[in-house]
Amino acid sequence: MGKERDGAGQVRPTTSLSPSAEFPPLSAQDIETLRRLGEQWRVEKPARALPVDPELRPSRPGAARARGPDEAFRPDQPGELTATPAAERPDTSRGRFALRVRRVLLGPPLSSMSMLRERMRKLIALPVLSSDLLSSVAYGPEALLTILVLAGSAALGLSLPIAAALVVLMLAVGASYRQTVRAYPHGAGSYLVASDSIGPRAGLTAAVGLILDYVLTVSVSVAAGIAAITSALPALNPLSVPLSLAVIAALLAGNLRGIRVAGNIFAAPTYLFLVAIGGMTLFGLGQAVARGFTVIPPPPVPATEAISVLLIARAFASGATSMTGIEAVSNAIPALRPVEWRNARTLLTWMISILILLFVGLMLLTHLNGLVPRANETLLSQLAHRTFPHGPWYPIIQAATALVLLLAANTAYNDLPRLLYYMARDAYVPRRFLHMGDRLALTNGLVALSVAAAVILTAFRGRTQALIPLFAVGVFLAFTLSQVGMVNHWRRHRGSGWRRRAAINALGATLSAIVLVTAAITKFASGAWVVVVAVPTLVLLCLGIRRHYDRVRQAVSLHPTPTQLTSAERSEREMAQEFLPQRVHHLLVVPVARFDQAALRALAYVVSLGQPALAVHVSPEDQEADRLRDEWTAWGDHVRLETVVSPHREILEPLAQYIAQLRERQPDITLTVVIPEVVVNRPWQRFLHSQIERRLRRALRRLPGVVVTSMPIHLSEVHPQATR
Amino acid sequence: MGKERDGAGQVRPTTSLSPSAEFPPLSAQDIETLRRLGEQWRVEKPARALPVDPELRPSRPGAARARGPDEAFRPDQPGELTATPAAERPDTSRGRFALRVRRVLLGPPLSSMSMLRERMRKLIALPVLSSDLLSSVAYGPEALLTILVLAGSAALGLSLPIAAALVVLMLAVGASYRQTVRAYPHGAGSYLVASDSIGPRAGLTAAVGLILDYVLTVSVSVAAGIAAITSALPALNPLSVPLSLAVIAALLAGNLRGIRVAGNIFAAPTYLFLVAIGGMTLFGLGQAVARGFTVIPPPPVPATEAISVLLIARAFASGATSMTGIEAVSNAIPALRPVEWRNARTLLTWMISILILLFVGLMLLTHLNGLVPRANETLLSQLAHRTFPHGPWYPIIQAATALVLLLAANTAYNDLPRLLYYMARDAYVPRRFLHMGDRLALTNGLVALSVAAAVILTAFRGRTQALIPLFAVGVFLAFTLSQVGMVNHWRRHRGSGWRRRAAINALGATLSAIVLVTAAITKFASGAWVVVVAVPTLVLLCLGIRRHYDRVRQAVSLHPTPTQLTSAERSEREMAQEFLPQRVHHLLVVPVARFDQAALRALAYVVSLGQPALAVHVSPEDQEADRLRDEWTAWGDHVRLETVVSPHREILEPLAQYIAQLRERQPDITLTVVIPEVVVNRPWQRFLHSQIERRLRRALRRLPGVVVTSMPIHLSEVHPQATR
């Protein structure tokens, strides 16, 4: 169940997904209103028996049941059928072809009942959850050095102090997250934590920061993974953008198919990466020890900027991207084995430790080898080349890096749709993000992520270093808000030792905020402004969406909010009019253009309903109106005809206004306008019809209390079932 | 009246326009069917009195009548209202703004009753009808010489013999048209003549030829008119395309406004042109006489092609564009004073005579002055410069030429919409070409012509000589078919002297055919292929449109064609089912997603109609289905509920198929599916709703016997009238 409601209709969010989230249950108050309305329900005459069995039972027993596998609906219990795959088959050949392609690519549909709630043990959870974090060392150190080297090779000596500062940051944020995980054992994502402990707008801001982070994670990780490949195989360099897009498409297909349930495939590449990078670091340090720790001087690079505090701050903020992905654990707590929070904390400790070891080792090795970032080869590739000039080690390291980066992108495919799902439940994003596709994946979120990441990757032509400046701001915004939220949390709950805990989170929040501000300011011109503009824009958009959904909810909710008096009054009046059949008074209106089969069918239809009916004809000329009236008389004048002469030959507006005025005279009636409409077979044929029906329908939609009925007139009445 | 029907329902076309053409009257047979059906009409229970006065009379006399000018509908006679301009006012502010702009540009709307059937006297008719023909001498001779000069200046001597051949052609076609006008006194356009005397396909081919001709007339005349201006003011040369488009926009606006009724404004420029060109010719010939008829040798031009029969034929076909516009009289016969055909014949004689005089004079003068076509200055401009080196004459001649060319374009604006109107009456082009706008103009035809001409003019960058090759083929195709039709006509009717008459038309037809074939072959590569491809393509398109309309007519006609047995049988069965109220059996189906106001309204609506009703809920999970059923029970179970569990969470297809299967079980019932739909205020908000309603409506449209009712749920039930 997506939400749990208490007696007062208040909603407490849960972190598990449900296929029924699109259909939230009613509150107790709603059900009470229903019961009250149901008691007042009166029917003028008893409804006749249904002319057809709604359970679709065979009329002659045994006869039709023989169809077996083609049967679209299976009886389930009284009043309930279950749709079989035959009921989902589209009835156009194009639709069926698309479905077949889909089945081949994504596999057969999965039933709602097969929702897996598998728990991961720690040795599986470590690689699954850490690929995003650990893979960050593939671009973080390079991002740091790329900034420093702007001040010439001499500035590269600063890399070690900056790395030390980053280690402090990692420790602080890690400790902070360990506490968050303990405090929110059902899911400690920044959106949930900040919403709960600061307020909905802070949560929304954190969520928007995370959305940008996830999209950029995909773009950056895929670009960096492809860079690892093109570093090894320079011939592929010109193909890097198409290759990246192909990877995104493969990730989309894989996630639509739902391979994420098979978490084991994550273990191998992540452990391979750990072993490969760890091994290289140890071996490289061994080489350095062997040559007496002499630092190979870097090649002279001309300085294009002076060394300044700003430059150092930029380098620091760039290097901080090495710790993106740390939040993966907090989102995944419910997927761990019990005791969940304890396992999550252990995992966090492991991951931070490994991260720091890898990061420090790589920074040191780079410094000792005097390496400098280059455009066509990643730093990691240079390091691998330098450390293992011969043998199979270089390709293994590059392959492991590429794989783990692609897995890191996959983390975003896991987390973003889930975040959008939570946000959709709170009505901040379109409700379609609640929908689970036929493979139980959050289809719309997956598609949205892929499209956004592909657009960004293409716009930046797959250059990792160009994307980095956009990256840090979103992540550290979410980090900061989450940790500030934790400080609030402790202050509110004041458990034992809350001051110490609050201090740890406050340190994490402060350091994250420093990185956030540094990144936003120092990288503003080189791309961060996009994020600085996007965050408030998206927050406003989400608030607008929420406002719209709130209005819709109010318009259709069973008990109007008592604070809105006018709305309550209105609703009382409406309830009297429109919620009880005995209060609905009908007038059926048939616009007649010509006296043909279409008009006759519509007239027979309205008259057979036994309600007052009126035919309206809009005519360009008196003579034409008289002619139609003569035809009407010949027919027998069975329905009252009103002609409206429109001397300027406008049809639509006078008709719509006439109907509006009828309703204005008698606001109590429900007007049903019955419009016969020719159904064309091909789209181009639509141009051959005036489409006045469609335009009329659109014009009438604006009028309250006017119901529009379309009577399709088919050119060839071939039964569509027959062509299946 | 657009068509006149005889007893058998056969249609005889008339050439006058009618605002009611969109609403053709029923045949006697149709009315008989109506009478028969009306007699079988039974109503289960007598219809109750209408709950509102359809004549919109004030409930308290005197009270509401006071509104006066704002009143949208005036009572006319019992059962008839007349819409006032207030009824045409759009109810969105954007729509009202567009209307205000329209009124300023095009003037107030004109009533159908103010259709003018003004007749022109000959002195007015001459300039009105001849501007197209006479203005052709502004580009025809130049087109001829442009081809000849390809063979060098020496070849220019051939211009006089070719001109003589063209004079023969003009005489023959002129004599031929004199006879056509006599034989078809109600309108002798090529479409009508060829349709009547050869067959509908020939008529259609002629019509397509004429359509291309008219579109090119506008492009060529406007381009040539602007060329006359830029020859005088070379600074405007780079602006020629935007200027041309502005002229087309002005022609469109003027014709939408309907200034064509003021034919008098045509008289002045055409007569000015006649006087100016005639005067120049006489003066120039006088100069030639004065210098003893010595021919000034043309400047040496290098030959790029050899003189050949092909080249001469091309020059001849190009020169033949001098006689485009000769068909204007035959279209306009009904607009002349009685005896119409006699006046038309007289006009034709005058026009041909003036054409020949101008054409011969100009050819002679060009030859005597040794002029050669140039890219930046028209031949006529060179001639005017040479003849009147000083004084005000040169600008007068250029201005008169430009004006008369723009008037010639206006001829197409008169004739093409009318041709499309005739074709729409015969269902070869979309019916919207029958519609007369609020200024009684054939709005859609005018817009279509302007768009097509503007596209062509832009595509050819306003170069008259590049457009000429496309021009001749269409015109002479129509000429040929019309005259071949006349030969048929005489052979069929065999009146006195039919052989002589047939011979005259046959000569015209033969010469026209020669020009047609010559133009098509010799100019194939330089552009005529477009026309050669376009004519059959458009003919096929028109036939496809006709086929579609025929199917629609059959689907809605009151008496099915007896030749189609299956259709007749089907129609009999359907008539029993759907044309008589006592045979319509209802089942109302309400898809329910959630139990909210929208669902309750829909349920109250269907139950109040007193017909059997069924609610259907498609659910992704058993639990969710059970929950809804509990809510249903709490409400009181007033309507039978059927739940369909769709385990793969697909909603649309199972719902559509369930409804299809209900109908399949009981094909006699008319299923009405009532879909509550939230009406959003802004387009972007549509993205926030699943649009399952719209998709369901689209899916259900394909099913026969399924009627779809949309119940709008408004977010704010502000009465739209209140905001006006």
Side-chain angles (χ1 to χ4, degrees):
Chain A
M1 206 172 292
K3 290 181 176 186
E4 284 163 12
R5 279 166 192 272
D6 53 27
Q10 285 292 72
V11 176
R12 189 156 54 82
T14 64
T15 47
S16 55
L17 309 186
S18 155
S20 302
E22 289 170 279
F23 305 92
L26 295 183
S27 68
Q29 201 184 343
D30 285 333
I31 291 181
E32 188 43 46
T33 314
L34 266 185
R35 199 185 306 275
R36 199 162 41 75
L37 278 170
E39 280 162 12
Q40 296 172 44
W41 187 277
R42 302 278 174 280
V43 183
E44 219 168 293
K45 52 176 186 178
R48 269 171 291 177
L50 295 182
V52 57
D53 176 16
E55 309 227 6
L56 303 176
R57 274 173 296 227
S59 32
R60 284 155 300 152
R65 267 285 169 264
R67 287 200 299 165
D70 247 20
E71 200 185 19
F73 300 96
R74 265 189 301 103
D76 207 7
Q77 58 188 71
E80 190 167 312
L81 297 171
T82 298
T84 68
E88 290 157 15
R89 217 178 313 147
D91 62 350
T92 60
S93 55
R94 214 194 314 165
R96 276 194 299 275
F97 178 74
L99 186 68
R100 214 166 306 139
V101 170
R102 198 184 155 75
R103 287 280 167 271
V104 169
L105 282 177
L106 306 184
L110 294 177
S111 157
S112 298
M113 286 182 302
S114 51
M115 269 295 276
L116 276 184
R117 299 182 209 277
E118 203 188 3
R119 300 299 184 102
M120 291 186 284
R121 61 201 177 95
K122 273 178 287 187
L123 277 181
I124 292 297
L126 179 67
V128 168
L129 299 176
S130 66
S131 62
D132 187 9
L133 177 63
L134 300 186
S135 69
S136 303
V137 299
Y139 47 81
E142 178 159 10
L144 194 166
L145 294 177
T146 304
I147 302 295
L148 270 191
V149 85
L150 291 175
S153 359
L156 290 175
L158 287 169
S159 64
L160 292 189
I162 295 176
L166 283 170
V167 168
V168 172
L169 179 68
M170 289 169 190
L171 285 171
V173 172
S176 185
Y177 262 100
R178 271 173 56 96
Q179 296 196 150
T180 312
V181 160
R182 171 78 185 91
Y184 286 88
H186 296 297
S190 303
Y191 173 56
L192 298 179
V193 171
S195 297
D196 182 65
S197 55
I198 311 185
R201 302 221 167 180
L204 190 54
T205 309
V208 166
L210 276 181
I211 290 175
L212 296 173
D213 170 29
Y214 286 133
V215 173
L216 288 166
T217 293
V218 174
S219 307
V220 169
S221 301
V222 170
I226 295 298
I229 295 173
T230 53
S231 292
L233 305 165
L236 291 177
N237 237 328
L239 287 178
S240 60
V241 171
L243 280 175
S244 303
L245 294 181
V247 167
I248 288 178
L251 282 169
L252 173 63
N255 280 280
L256 283 177
R257 216 186 148 93
I259 46 166
R260 77 201 144 91
V261 288
N264 308 23
I265 68 159
F266 279 68
T270 310
Y271 283 126
L272 179 65
F273 179 74
L274 276 185
V275 170
I277 302 292
M280 178 179 78
T281 309
L282 287 179
F283 192 80
L285 290 177
Q287 290 174 324
V289 169
R291 67 171 185 267
F293 264 112
T294 50
V295 177
I296 300 171
V301 178
T304 55
E305 286 184 33
I307 297 187
S308 65
V309 178
L310 202 68
L311 187 83
I312 294 170
R314 268 164 76 196
F316 176 74
S318 291
T321 55
S322 305
M323 58 185 297
T324 56
I326 202 170
E327 74 282 7
V329 176
S330 54
N331 294 324
I333 312 178
L336 301 177
R337 292 197 176 163
V339 179
E340 294 88 349
W341 65 266
R342 200 185 301 273
N343 284 329
R345 241 169 48 169
T346 313
L347 277 172
L348 254 176
T349 311
W350 290 359
M351 282 162 60
I352 295 283
S353 312
I354 299 173
L355 172 70
I356 291 175
L357 284 178
L358 287 184
F359 178 73
V360 170
L362 286 176
M363 288 302 297
L364 207 56
L365 212 55
T366 308
H367 178 70
L368 290 173
N369 282 299
L371 293 179
V372 167
R374 273 194 245 148
N376 291 329
E377 191 179 4
T378 62
L379 200 64
L380 213 54
S381 169
Q382 293 182 48
L383 214 47
H385 260 144
R386 184 73 63 100
T387 313
F388 302 112
H390 314 291
W393 299 108
Y394 173 74
I396 289 176
I397 288 170
Q398 288 306 104
T401 308
L403 269 176
V404 85
L405 280 163
L406 301 184
L407 289 184
N410 200 65
T411 310
Y413 274 93
N414 263 327
D415 287 350
L416 180 65
R418 194 187 287 256
L419 174 61
L420 288 172
Y421 174 92
Y422 297 146
M423 291 174 77
R425 225 170 41 183
D426 296 342
Y428 286 123
V429 294
R431 290 184 59 82
R432 54 187 69 191
F433 288 119
L434 289 176
H435 183 72
M436 293 191 152
D438 59 3
R439 294 284 297 183
L440 284 167
L442 292 164
T443 315
N444 294 313
L446 292 172
V447 171
L449 171 59
S450 304
V451 169
V455 166
I456 289 178
L457 207 143
T458 312
F460 285 82
R461 296 205 203 95
R463 282 172 292 124
T464 317
Q465 296 307 321
L467 287 164
I468 293 279
L470 284 80
F471 201 19
V473 178
V475 197
F476 280 91
L477 178 62
F479 283 2
T480 308
L481 285 168
S482 159
Q483 291 170 102
V484 168
M486 283 309 296
V487 176
N488 268 15
H489 175 88
W490 298 126
R491 279 173 49 196
R492 208 185 296 155
H493 291 81
R494 296 179 184 253
S496 69
W498 72 270
R499 279 173 208 281
R500 188 180 44 82
R501 295 178 204 273
I504 292 175
N505 283 126
L507 176 65
T510 310
L511 291 179
S512 298
I514 289 173
V515 178
L516 168 66
V517 172
T518 312
I521 293 175
T522 59
K523 304 189 167 181
F524 190 83
S526 62
W529 67 270
V530 176
V531 179
V532 173
V533 171
V535 169
T537 310
L538 288 175
V539 167
L540 285 178
L541 182 65
C542 289
L543 289 173
I545 291 173
R546 169 70 182 247
R547 226 173 2 254
H548 174 75
Y549 278 130
D550 279 350
R551 285 184 63 201
V552 173
R553 200 165 38 79
Q554 236 165 52
V556 302
S557 92
L558 290 170
H559 61 283
T561 39
T563 48
Q564 294 194 295
L565 261 179
T566 50
S567 147
E569 283 168 347
R570 211 192 59 212
S571 161
E572 201 60 37
R573 197 180 62 92
E574 266 168 21
M575 249 179 219
Q577 265 184 48
E578 300 189 18
F579 286 179
L580 296 170
Q582 65 267 35
R583 306 270 176 88
V584 180
H585 303 294
H586 287 280
L587 174 61
L588 300 164
V589 177
V590 184
V592 172
R594 273 172 293 274
F595 215 141
D596 54 12
Q597 266 195 36
L600 264 181
R601 276 196 214 186
L603 290 169
Y605 175 85
V606 299
V607 167
S608 66
L609 284 170
Q611 301 290 342
L614 172 69
V616 183
H617 173 62
V618 180
S619 170
E621 275 187 316
D622 265 340
Q623 299 93 298
E624 202 276 335
D626 294 345
R627 213 166 55 211
L628 187 88
R629 186 166 291 285
D630 291 346
E631 294 166 6
W632 205 262
T633 312
W635 169 59
D637 220 349
H638 293 293
V639 174
R640 168 79 181 259
L641 170 70
E642 186 73 24
T643 50
V644 174
V645 176
S646 171
H648 306 140
R649 298 159 300 286
E650 180 64 58
I651 305 287
L652 181 74
E653 276 297 332
L655 187 52
Q657 290 218 14
Y658 179 73
I659 290 165
Q661 293 217 353
L662 284 178
R663 155 101 183 161
E664 201 180 349
R665 300 256 152 169
Q666 197 64 267
D668 284 347
I669 55 176
T670 298
L671 265 167
T672 303
V673 182
V674 179
I675 308 176
E677 234 174 306
V678 168
V679 178
V680 299
N681 298 324
R682 283 161 209 289
W684 69 269
Q685 294 169 339
R686 228 176 280 159
F687 188 70
L688 303 179
H689 296 270
S690 65
Q691 302 193 275
I692 187 136
E693 297 90 0
R694 231 172 64 172
R695 285 161 58 216
L696 182 62
R697 208 164 55 206
R698 208 182 305 153
L700 293 178
R701 271 169 77 85
R702 290 197 300 268
L703 305 178
V706 174
V707 173
V708 179
T709 295
S710 311
M711 277 199 89
I713 308 292
H714 291 267
L715 294 189
S716 56
E717 300 252 302
V718 180
H719 208 289
Q721 300 289 14
T723 61
R724 277 182 194 170
Chain B
M1 209 170 289
K3 291 181 177 185
E4 284 161 13
R5 279 167 190 270
D6 55 25
Q10 284 292 75
V11 175
R12 188 158 53 82
T14 63
T15 47
S16 55
L17 308 186
S18 154
S20 303
E22 289 170 277
F23 304 92
L26 295 183
S27 69
Q29 202 183 340
D30 285 335
I31 290 180
E32 188 44 44
T33 313
L34 265 186
R35 201 184 307 274
R36 199 162 40 74
L37 277 169
E39 279 162 11
Q40 296 172 44
W41 188 277
R42 301 280 174 278
V43 183
E44 219 168 292
K45 53 175 187 178
R48 268 169 293 176
L50 294 182
V52 57
D53 177 18
E55 310 228 8
L56 302 176
R57 275 175 295 229
S59 31
R60 283 156 301 153
R65 266 288 170 261
R67 288 200 297 166
D70 247 20
E71 200 184 18
F73 300 97
R74 266 189 300 101
D76 207 5
Q77 58 189 70
E80 191 167 311
L81 297 171
T82 298
T84 68
E88 290 157 16
R89 216 177 314 149
D91 63 351
T92 61
S93 56
R94 214 193 314 165
R96 276 195 298 275
F97 178 73
L99 186 70
R100 213 167 304 140
V101 170
R102 197 183 156 77
R103 288 279 166 271
V104 169
L105 282 176
L106 306 182
L110 294 176
S111 158
S112 297
M113 285 184 302
S114 51
M115 267 296 275
L116 277 183
R117 300 185 206 277
E118 203 188 4
R119 300 299 184 103
M120 291 186 285
R121 62 202 177 92
K122 274 178 287 187
L123 277 180
I124 291 298
L126 180 66
V128 169
L129 300 176
S130 66
S131 63
D132 187 8
L133 178 63
L134 301 185
S135 68
S136 303
V137 298
Y139 48 80
E142 178 159 7
L144 194 165
L145 294 176
T146 304
I147 302 294
L148 269 191
V149 85
L150 292 175
S153 0
L156 289 175
L158 286 169
S159 66
L160 292 189
I162 295 177
L166 283 170
V167 168
V168 173
L169 178 69
M170 288 170 190
L171 285 171
V173 172
S176 185
Y177 261 101
R178 272 174 56 96
Q179 296 195 150
T180 312
V181 160
R182 171 78 183 89
Y184 287 88
H186 296 296
S190 303
Y191 174 57
L192 299 179
V193 171
S195 296
D196 183 65
S197 55
I198 311 183
R201 301 221 169 179
L204 190 54
T205 310
V208 166
L210 275 181
I211 289 175
L212 297 174
D213 169 29
Y214 286 133
V215 173
L216 288 166
T217 294
V218 174
S219 307
V220 169
S221 300
V222 170
I226 295 297
I229 293 172
T230 54
S231 293
L233 305 166
L236 292 179
N237 238 328
L239 287 178
S240 59
V241 171
L243 279 175
S244 304
L245 294 181
V247 167
I248 289 179
L251 282 168
L252 173 63
N255 279 280
L256 283 177
R257 215 185 149 91
I259 46 165
R260 75 201 146 92
V261 288
N264 307 22
I265 68 157
F266 280 67
T270 311
Y271 282 126
L272 179 66
F273 178 75
L274 276 186
V275 171
I277 303 293
M280 179 178 77
T281 311
L282 287 179
F283 191 81
L285 290 177
Q287 289 173 325
V289 169
R291 66 171 186 266
F293 265 112
T294 50
V295 176
I296 299 171
V301 179
T304 56
E305 286 184 31
I307 296 186
S308 66
V309 179
L310 202 69
L311 188 83
I312 293 170
R314 267 165 75 196
F316 176 73
S318 290
T321 55
S322 304
M323 59 185 296
T324 54
I326 202 170
E327 73 283 6
V329 176
S330 55
N331 293 324
I333 313 177
L336 300 177
R337 292 196 176 164
V339 180
E340 293 87 349
W341 65 265
R342 199 185 300 277
N343 285 329
R345 243 171 46 172
T346 313
L347 277 173
L348 253 177
T349 311
W350 290 358
M351 281 162 59
I352 295 285
S353 313
I354 299 172
L355 172 69
I356 291 177
L357 284 177
L358 288 185
F359 178 73
V360 170
L362 286 176
M363 288 303 295
L364 207 57
L365 212 56
T366 306
H367 178 70
L368 290 173
N369 283 298
L371 293 179
V372 166
R374 275 195 242 147
N376 292 329
E377 192 178 5
T378 63
L379 200 65
L380 213 57
S381 167
Q382 293 182 47
L383 213 49
H385 261 145
R386 183 73 61 99
T387 314
F388 302 113
H390 313 291
W393 300 107
Y394 172 75
I396 289 176
I397 289 171
Q398 288 306 103
T401 308
L403 268 176
V404 86
L405 279 164
L406 300 185
L407 289 185
N410 200 65
T411 312
Y413 274 93
N414 263 327
D415 288 349
L416 179 66
R418 197 187 287 255
L419 174 60
L420 287 172
Y421 174 91
Y422 296 145
M423 292 174 75
R425 224 169 44 183
D426 296 342
Y428 287 122
V429 293
R431 290 183 60 81
R432 55 187 69 191
F433 288 118
L434 288 175
H435 182 72
M436 293 190 150
D438 59 5
R439 293 285 296 183
L440 284 167
L442 292 164
T443 316
N444 295 313
L446 291 172
V447 171
L449 171 60
S450 305
V451 170
V455 166
I456 290 179
L457 206 143
T458 312
F460 285 83
R461 296 207 203 95
R463 282 170 292 123
T464 317
Q465 296 307 321
L467 288 163
I468 293 278
L470 285 79
F471 202 17
V473 178
V475 197
F476 281 90
L477 177 62
F479 282 3
T480 309
L481 285 168
S482 161
Q483 290 169 103
V484 168
M486 284 309 297
V487 176
N488 268 15
H489 175 87
W490 298 126
R491 281 173 48 197
R492 208 185 295 155
H493 291 81
R494 295 180 184 256
S496 68
W498 72 270
R499 279 172 207 282
R500 186 178 46 81
R501 294 178 205 272
I504 292 175
N505 283 125
L507 177 64
T510 311
L511 292 178
S512 297
I514 289 173
V515 179
L516 168 65
V517 172
T518 312
I521 294 174
T522 60
K523 305 187 164 184
F524 190 82
S526 61
W529 67 269
V530 177
V531 179
V532 172
V533 171
V535 168
T537 309
L538 288 175
V539 167
L540 285 177
L541 182 64
C542 289
L543 289 173
I545 290 173
R546 170 68 181 246
R547 227 175 359 255
H548 174 76
Y549 278 131
D550 280 349
R551 286 184 62 200
V552 173
R553 201 164 37 79
Q554 238 166 52
V556 301
S557 91
L558 291 170
H559 60 282
T561 41
T563 48
Q564 293 194 293
L565 263 179
T566 50
S567 148
E569 284 168 348
R570 208 192 60 212
S571 161
E572 200 63 34
R573 195 182 62 93
E574 267 168 22
M575 250 177 218
Q577 266 184 48
E578 301 190 14
F579 287 180
L580 295 170
Q582 65 268 34
R583 307 270 177 87
V584 180
H585 304 294
H586 288 280
L587 174 60
L588 300 165
V589 178
V590 185
V592 173
R594 270 174 292 275
F595 215 140
D596 55 12
Q597 265 195 36
L600 264 181
R601 276 195 214 186
L603 291 167
Y605 176 85
V606 299
V607 167
S608 66
L609 285 169
Q611 301 290 341
L614 172 68
V616 182
H617 173 63
V618 180
S619 171
E621 277 187 313
D622 265 342
Q623 298 92 299
E624 202 276 335
D626 293 345
R627 212 166 55 209
L628 188 87
R629 187 166 291 284
D630 291 345
E631 295 166 5
W632 206 261
T633 313
W635 170 60
D637 221 348
H638 295 292
V639 174
R640 168 79 182 259
L641 169 71
E642 186 74 24
T643 50
V644 174
V645 175
S646 172
H648 305 141
R649 296 157 302 285
E650 181 64 57
I651 305 287
L652 181 74
E653 276 299 331
L655 187 52
Q657 290 218 18
Y658 178 73
I659 290 165
Q661 292 217 355
L662 284 178
R663 157 103 183 161
E664 201 180 348
R665 301 256 150 170
Q666 198 65 266
D668 284 347
I669 56 175
T670 298
L671 265 167
T672 302
V673 182
V674 180
I675 308 176
E677 232 173 308
V678 168
V679 177
V680 297
N681 299 324
R682 285 162 209 288
W684 70 268
Q685 293 170 339
R686 231 176 278 160
F687 188 70
L688 302 180
H689 296 269
S690 65
Q691 302 192 278
I692 187 135
E693 297 90 0
R694 232 173 63 174
R695 286 159 59 214
L696 182 62
R697 209 165 54 207
R698 210 183 302 153
L700 293 178
R701 273 168 77 87
R702 292 196 300 268
L703 306 178
V706 174
V707 173
V708 178
T709 295
S710 310
M711 276 199 89
I713 308 292
H714 291 266
L715 293 190
S716 57
E717 299 252 302
V718 181
H719 207 289
Q721 300 288 15
T723 61
R724 276 182 195 169

